[in-house]
Amino acid sequence: MRESATSGYPIADFHCDVLWKLLKHEELSFDDRSESQIDVTPGRLHASQAILQTFAVFISPRMTSQAAVWKSVDLFYEHVLSNPKMHLIRTAADIDYAVHHGQTGALLSLEGVDGLYGDFSMLRLLYHLGLRAVGLTWNHANWAADGVLEPRQGGLTARGAQFVDECERLGIILDVSHLTEQGFWELADRVKRPFIASHSNAKSLCPHARNLADDQIKALIAIDGRIGITYVPYFVKEDGNATITDVLRHIEHVAALGGAKQLMLGSDFDGIEQYVQSLRHPADVPKLVEAMLRVFPEQVVTDITSGNAIRYLKEQLPTA
Ligand SMILES: [Zn+2]
């Protein structure tokens, strides 16, 4: 019954950290037998009708090395793309191919450029391997910029600003989810293309450093960027005791600011140890869809669950 209620709502999710878990725990695989240890599995993606899942390369601040980045990309190829239900998304046409063949599109992103050590040739090689979205930082400072928890709250470095330009030249999407507010506005002033916050909520509802202030949300809406609502319980509700209804409030807030066409989803599954109640993995997302259907028209729900993300990607990804 649940399936039929939500069958018209395929899901696009712009952030998960399963590659990080595979990097940390060599014994794990991207398969349904690992579902007690990993959130994002092929079976759960299928159950949620996932048409797009972004896989982030995240390297711990304690182990930043170029080798760890390459190892993570290798895991993406060996574990994720080797699955016949997954299809690498490099171009707009790849999305249509995946949808047509009933596959889940797999987009590769980089969460924090620490491991590149300012090496732009590495960025270009990663682009050739399919990298299509980059966040400059995780929570701390690196050679490119300051992350949201860095005490000095600085913006981009000179090298970081050049790196932003190189991403734009290549056609790599910029992701500001972990950037300081200073960095956000410096990046906004610099770029010509719309950028995204792949996994952040509204600060006015939950005052966490990882969330976006209303003027940031409005700026993303104005440039037709994207805001991926995330299920990290502490970004949903201050005490971390969050429900699906609390997630819905963030969606309603961004929509009320005019962002119904800019909202998308950015779960952060496999990057979290605590969960929003009843929202523990991709196969639970239809429950959020049901909650959305109680307050939004169907077209708005279709946009938020995948339409907005897919429209953005088709505009931003290279054509060939
Ligand atoms: Zn993150």
Side-chain angles (χ1 to χ4, degrees):
M1 194 154 153
R2 168 159 289 150
E3 267 184 27
S4 63
T6 55
S7 61
Y9 302 91
I11 302 297
D13 184 312
F14 236 90
H15 191 85
C16 81
D17 280 312
V18 70
L19 294 178
W20 161 237
K21 274 199 188 158
L22 296 176
L23 181 71
K24 254 195 324 185
H25 304 285
E26 278 186 11
E27 73 281 9
L28 291 179
S29 295
F30 180 70
D31 62 32
D32 299 326
R33 281 168 300 160
S34 300
E35 70 175 18
S36 63
Q37 286 137 300
I38 63 176
D39 304 331
V40 177
T41 64
R44 286 167 175 163
L45 288 173
H46 184 71
S48 73
Q49 295 181 74
I51 54 171
L52 180 98
Q53 177 66 58
T54 295
F55 293 83
V57 170
F58 165 75
I59 308 299
S60 153
R62 287 189 303 278
M63 57 175 287
T64 56
S65 70
Q66 293 197 343
V69 176
W70 296 126
K71 175 78 182 159
S72 298
V73 176
D74 183 57
L75 289 166
F76 178 62
Y77 274 80
E78 289 296 309
H79 284 261
V80 177
L81 296 180
S82 65
N83 187 302
K85 283 282 176 196
M86 308 299 296
H87 184 72
L88 177 63
I89 300 298
R90 279 179 296 207
T91 66
D94 289 328
I95 296 175
D96 292 329
Y97 182 95
V99 170
H100 185 73
H101 290 87
Q103 294 169 305
T104 300
L107 191 92
L108 185 64
S109 73
L110 179 62
E111 182 170 35
V113 300
D114 307 56
L116 274 59
Y117 294 95
D119 181 353
F120 289 18
S121 66
M122 187 168 170
L123 177 73
R124 291 187 284 269
L125 291 170
L126 288 166
Y127 176 83
H128 288 304
L129 288 168
L131 182 73
R132 289 296 181 269
V134 167
L136 294 179
T137 67
W138 189 58
N139 288 334
H140 309 298
N142 61 23
W143 60 266
D146 282 8
V148 287
L149 298 185
E150 188 63 31
R152 92 187 141 186
Q153 291 289 300
L156 310 184
T157 65
R159 190 73 175 151
Q162 290 170 348
F163 185 83
V164 163
D165 294 347
E166 185 64 357
C167 286
E168 282 224 299
R169 188 185 73 81
L170 291 167
I172 293 178
I173 293 161
L174 288 155
D175 181 355
V176 297
S177 260
H178 281 268
L179 261 190
T180 57
E181 284 201 38
Q182 177 75 20
F184 178 103
W185 294 114
E186 287 179 17
L187 186 141
D189 281 345
R190 191 164 189 96
V191 297
K192 294 175 193 72
R193 300 160 58 122
F195 55 93
I196 68 170
S198 65
H199 58 305
S200 293
N201 291 339
K203 204 174 257 179
S204 66
L205 297 188
C206 178
H208 193 285
R210 278 278 286 97
N211 285 341
L212 298 163
D214 281 357
D215 57 349
Q216 292 177 295
I217 294 171
K218 286 180 193 164
L220 281 162
I221 293 167
I223 60 168
D224 199 24
R226 291 293 181 273
I227 300 137
I229 294 297
T230 192
Y231 318 148
V232 183
Y234 290 96
F235 307 168
V236 176
K237 208 171 158 207
E238 211 171 353
D239 65 7
N241 187 15
T243 64
I244 283 175
T245 306
D246 297 318
V247 177
L248 185 63
R249 289 206 182 98
H250 286 269
I251 295 173
E252 288 181 283
H253 180 77
V254 175
L257 292 174
K261 290 281 184 190
Q262 285 75 36
L263 274 160
M264 58 180 193
L265 305 174
S267 66
D268 214 1
F269 283 136
D270 287 309
I272 48 181
E273 277 155 17
Q274 287 164 291
Y275 297 83
V276 171
Q277 286 168 38
S278 311
L279 196 51
R280 295 189 62 91
H281 52 67
D284 283 336
V285 175
K287 298 178 202 167
L288 175 62
V289 177
E290 285 178 13
M292 283 193 255
L293 284 167
R294 288 197 280 273
V295 298
F296 291 116
E298 278 196 7
Q299 183 58 51
V300 173
V301 177
T302 304
D303 286 344
I304 297 169
T305 49
S306 63
N308 292 339
I310 298 302
R311 179 167 55 88
Y312 175 83
L313 282 173
K314 285 191 171 177
E315 287 166 6
Q316 297 303 321
L317 289 175
T319 48

